[in-house]
Amino acid sequence: MDKIYIYAAVSGIIALFFAFFLAKGISKQNAGNERMKEIAGYIEQGAMAFLKREYKYLTIFIVIVGAIIGIFLNVQTAIAFIIGAIFSILAGYFGMKVATSANVRTAEAAKTGQAPALKIAFSGGAVMGMCVVGLGVLGISILYIIFGGETSYLTGFGLGASSIALFARVGGGIYTKAADVGADLVGKVEAGIPEDDPRNPAVIADNVGDNVGDVAGMGADLFESYVGSIISAITLGSSMAVNMREKAIIFPMLLVSIGIIASILGTLVARNSKANNPQKALNSGTYIGGIIVIISTLILSKTMFGDFKAFFAVTSGLLVGMLIGKVTEIYTSADYKSVKTISNQSQTGPATTIISGLAVGMKSTVIPIILIVAGILVSFYAMGGNDVNINGLYGISLAAVGMLSITGLTVAVDAYGPIADNAGGIAEMAHLPSSVREITDKLDSVGNTTAAIGKGFAIGSAALTALALFASYAEAVKLQSINLLTPVTLVGVLFGGMLPFLFGALTMESVGKAANEMVEEVRRQFKEIDGIMEEKAKPDYARCVEISTAAALREMILPGVIAIVVPILVGILFGAEALGGLIGGAVVTGVLVAILMSNAGGAWDNAKKYIESGVYGGKGSFAHKAAVVGDTVGDPFKDTSGPSMNILIKLMTIVSLVFAPVILEYGGILLSLFK
């Protein structure tokens, strides 16, 4: 079995070498004139300064939690936790380092056409994608070999990844949206200056935010999703019948190894595509990667298990992921009805813009939920869940792995968007020809849709992975069923159902507070620094960067602590079954709120861009100002609160799994007082 894990580790190393190859190729491209390099330097300095300060906070957290795990559980799980946290940090850091190099080169390449600009931007995103899958597979493989095949310790790796993902997503999301809201409300609405105008003091902070939130934060998010799905499959596989156990543990690692090769091939297809439509170019790579995984799984399933049960389970997950992505595109792309309806409603003001956007977000939950349900049922029964329950649960975990098997591509397509957005900002601030901004705007608009699709993948996989991890938790605490007629269980369900709303409120409030500081600062600079509007004086960009940095680091702590502490408290106070109810309630509401927020936010953003293309009066019109307000509301929806929900539900589930021995020993303290 160790041989297979060595092969898997090699595939992870191949992914990292491919990321290095792409990064070197990007660094060789022309970075433009001195003004472009200066602006790109500001963005990179701001992004790196934020990461360094964030990582100082997280180092303290890692040491404290690692010590707690080592004392109350075991040293092996503590080691796995620390490695998972470090690898998550590295994935975000490497991805963002290259993204801040690719943005200015994308802007320069846009002078010669759309295809060269797309190639650089997508290559930059692919570096993040390959780092995510490479480090994920390498980490799990090495730990499995070091711990002699003891799968229970791997949950620590997942907990480390999930913990960092939550802080990175929330902290990065607060940063980027505080800057974005401040820049839009004062710059575009009040001052009437264009987006990314160099006269706007918040413009550098806004572009920095694209990197720390939408690149580093998103990378940590999907790293956590990826390793969580693999670990859930391995831990459930280790609980299966003796004649199936070894194959069940090996299968997910072989599958993700194939997924890495498929992602590399898909990346090469997408970055070299001659399609005039960027969406088609990106889709071509995704479809190629998906087809390779499906064919390989067919062969692998027959070879290892002697039947096609695993193939149907994996394929159901992969197809559900792709279909959720397509549904997300339909609700968030300006090519379809929903976004055009919001744009039309903007003609009557901000209120109707917000109403129609919320309606789109709510409606967009229906089909993804039906697809997730279909994926659960197909994967459960395909693996024989009606005969042996654990086999069916293993099938669900394979569906999650299948959905995330081409994560290298999914992340590449997602991370390309912020790079294109930054390129547009640099083009505007450096006063490049309007043709350059037209190209970067087109790439950015597609990037908004691809980002929404990436979030759809992450949310769909969160539901499947959380369910698989919950099954592992039930096995660990010997929980056969959950009785909703038991008051204590119902208490857990209600608490769990409430937590995503509390979490969403806290993160939205945090963006609001930070944005308020940013708005006041931008207004102050416009008022007190003479000559900004005439470009005779330079705004104080550094002050705005500092406001976003301080606010993000301050505000990310409470939501993160709640996600980790509440499950343990509920388990200790009310017992294992109540904690099971908490997880169930959180998964239901968390998935729905995540879809609503992500899709409504993406739709508002592209409705604004659709108006900016010239319809309903174009830029500066009444409809445009209303759409900017809608987009401003949607910013924390789609980039802070919404994406954090899927991390929340998986983090609470894996915390419950890791601390299951503690809950078994001490659970139900409060209940014992009433007996």
Side-chain angles (χ1 to χ4, degrees):
M1 200 185 294
D2 282 358
K3 265 188 183 177
I4 299 298
Y5 276 77
I6 291 169
Y7 295 149
V10 169
S11 72
I13 293 168
I14 290 170
L16 295 175
F17 269 114
F18 185 59
F20 179 75
F21 162 75
L22 292 173
K24 289 293 287 183
I26 292 167
S27 66
K28 291 176 182 177
Q29 302 302 313
N30 188 354
N33 59 40
E34 289 306 311
R35 174 63 177 157
M36 292 168 70
K37 290 176 184 175
E38 180 189 6
I39 295 163
Y42 288 147
I43 295 169
E44 183 176 10
Q45 287 166 20
M48 290 303 161
F50 171 78
L51 277 197
K52 284 177 184 175
R53 285 178 61 177
E54 183 181 49
Y55 292 162
K56 283 180 184 175
Y57 279 61
L58 293 180
T59 300
I60 298 167
F61 167 81
I62 292 165
V63 170
I64 292 171
V65 176
I68 291 170
I69 293 171
I71 293 166
F72 289 99
L73 295 171
N74 53 70
V75 174
Q76 293 94 326
T77 304
I79 291 169
F81 167 79
I82 292 167
I83 292 173
I86 291 170
F87 275 29
S88 179
I89 285 171
L90 289 175
Y93 179 83
F94 290 146
M96 199 187 75
K97 185 74 176 171
V98 173
T100 53
S101 169
N103 54 15
V104 67
R105 289 165 173 80
T106 300
E108 176 65 19
K111 291 178 181 177
T112 58
Q114 180 179 282
L118 174 63
K119 185 174 182 178
I120 293 174
F122 182 71
S123 296
V127 170
M128 169 65 88
M130 293 304 143
C131 286
V132 165
V133 296
L135 289 168
V137 170
L138 186 62
I140 292 172
S141 302
I142 289 172
L143 288 173
Y144 182 88
I145 294 166
I146 289 172
F147 295 143
E150 178 52 63
T151 58
S152 62
Y153 301 140
L154 295 178
T155 56
F157 187 82
L159 178 59
S162 293
S163 303
I164 298 306
L166 189 70
F167 286 114
R169 204 31 140 163
V170 172
I174 292 167
Y175 185 111
T176 185
K177 292 307 109 180
D180 204 354
V181 170
D184 281 358
L185 284 183
V186 185
K188 290 163 74 174
V189 176
E190 293 181 12
I193 57 178
E195 188 168 5
D196 295 317
D197 193 295
R199 294 171 291 179
N200 193 328
V203 72
I204 295 294
D206 186 10
N207 281 276
V208 170
D210 290 335
N211 291 286
V212 300
D214 297 340
V215 178
M218 182 274 303
D221 179 351
L222 281 165
F223 179 82
E224 176 260 354
S225 297
Y226 187 66
V227 301
S229 67
I230 299 168
I231 289 168
S232 68
I234 292 171
T235 52
L236 284 169
S238 66
S239 300
M240 293 173 74
V242 176
N243 64 322
M244 290 272 288
R245 192 172 299 159
E246 186 173 324
K247 293 173 182 176
I249 292 171
I250 290 172
F251 187 82
M253 292 307 292
L254 284 174
L255 179 59
V256 294
S257 299
I258 291 166
I260 286 175
I261 305 304
S263 293
I264 291 172
L265 294 173
T267 298
L268 292 172
V269 169
R271 71 192 289 268
N272 295 309
S273 173
K274 303 300 181 186
N276 291 325
N277 185 336
Q279 187 76 60
K280 284 184 180 176
L282 299 175
N283 286 348
S284 65
T286 304
Y287 295 148
I288 289 290
I291 290 166
I292 291 170
V293 168
I294 288 171
I295 294 170
S296 302
T297 305
L298 182 73
I299 298 166
L300 203 59
S301 178
K302 181 65 176 174
T303 305
M304 291 189 66
F305 296 111
D307 54 39
F308 298 111
K309 291 178 179 178
F311 165 74
F312 289 121
V314 171
T315 304
S316 69
L318 186 59
L319 290 178
V320 165
M322 287 185 166
L323 288 171
I324 288 176
K326 188 62 185 176
V327 170
T328 304
E329 182 184 343
I330 289 168
Y331 279 107
T332 59
S333 171
D335 294 334
Y336 297 94
K337 183 182 175 183
S338 293
V339 168
K340 289 177 180 176
T341 299
I342 297 171
S343 302
N344 184 43
Q345 294 277 12
S346 297
Q347 294 180 94
T348 51
T352 47
T353 305
I354 291 167
I355 290 167
S356 58
L358 281 173
V360 166
M362 288 176 181
K363 279 195 296 184
S364 73
T365 63
V366 178
I367 299 175
I369 290 297
I370 292 170
L371 290 169
I372 290 168
V373 167
I376 290 170
L377 293 175
V378 170
S379 57
F380 182 85
Y381 288 108
M383 278 301 292
N386 54 330
D387 297 321
V388 182
N389 191 60
I390 190 69
N391 289 3
L393 295 172
Y394 177 71
I396 293 171
S397 70
L398 288 186
V401 176
M403 190 180 284
L404 290 163
S405 58
I406 52 169
T407 291
L409 266 174
T410 307
V411 174
V413 169
D414 197 335
Y416 131 91
I419 295 172
D421 192 3
N422 260 207
I426 291 168
E428 186 75 35
M429 286 183 274
H431 302 299
L432 297 185
S434 58
S435 59
V436 173
R437 187 64 201 246
E438 284 171 16
I439 288 172
T440 58
D441 276 354
K442 187 173 182 181
L443 296 178
D444 182 27
S445 181
V446 171
N448 283 329
T449 303
T450 57
I453 291 169
K455 291 181 182 94
F457 260 82
I459 293 163
S461 68
L464 296 177
T465 304
L467 187 56
L469 288 169
F470 177 56
S472 299
Y473 164 76
E475 286 282 319
V477 297
K478 309 294 187 289
L479 195 63
Q480 297 300 315
S481 62
I482 292 178
N483 185 359
L484 288 177
L485 295 177
T486 304
V488 174
T489 308
L490 197 55
V491 165
V493 172
L494 290 171
F495 264 124
M498 168 273 293
L499 279 173
F501 289 94
L502 173 63
F503 191 82
L506 289 172
T507 50
M508 293 281 284
E509 265 187 355
S510 296
V511 171
K513 288 179 195 172
N516 189 57
E517 288 182 56
M518 187 66 71
V519 166
E520 292 301 322
E521 174 60 23
V522 175
R523 284 173 177 164
R524 182 195 68 79
Q525 291 197 33
F526 276 136
K527 184 178 178 182
E528 295 179 8
I529 302 177
D530 293 330
I532 284 184
M533 294 303 287
E534 297 80 22
E535 292 194 65
K536 293 177 181 176
K538 188 180 286 187
D540 185 356
Y541 300 128
R543 176 62 190 145
C544 291
V545 169
E546 173 59 27
I547 286 172
S548 266
T549 301
L553 296 175
R554 182 179 67 244
E555 298 291 340
M556 76 178 184
I557 296 169
L558 181 58
V561 170
I562 285 173
I564 294 167
V565 172
V566 169
I568 298 171
L569 274 180
V570 168
I572 290 174
L573 292 176
F574 297 103
E577 192 170 342
L579 179 52
L582 177 107
I583 295 167
V587 169
V588 170
T589 59
V591 169
L592 288 168
V593 172
I595 295 170
L596 186 160
M597 286 185 151
S598 294
N599 288 349
W604 273 317
D605 195 348
N606 276 336
K608 176 200 71 175
K609 284 186 166 57
Y610 183 59
I611 291 173
E612 287 175 346
S613 70
V615 300
Y616 306 127
K619 290 184 179 181
S621 66
F622 179 77
H624 181 238
K625 289 180 179 178
V628 168
V629 174
D631 178 36
T632 304
V633 174
D635 274 335
F637 264 48
K638 69 181 173 63
D639 291 325
T640 309
S641 302
S644 302
M645 293 295 167
N646 63 295
I647 308 174
L648 172 71
I649 60 177
K650 279 179 293 181
L651 177 56
M652 290 198 297
T653 312
I654 204 160
V655 163
S656 305
L657 176 57
V658 170
F659 286 92
V662 175
I663 291 158
L664 263 179
E665 187 170 348
Y666 301 105
I669 289 175
L670 189 62
L671 293 183
S672 64
L673 299 176
F674 295 97
K675 291 179 181 177

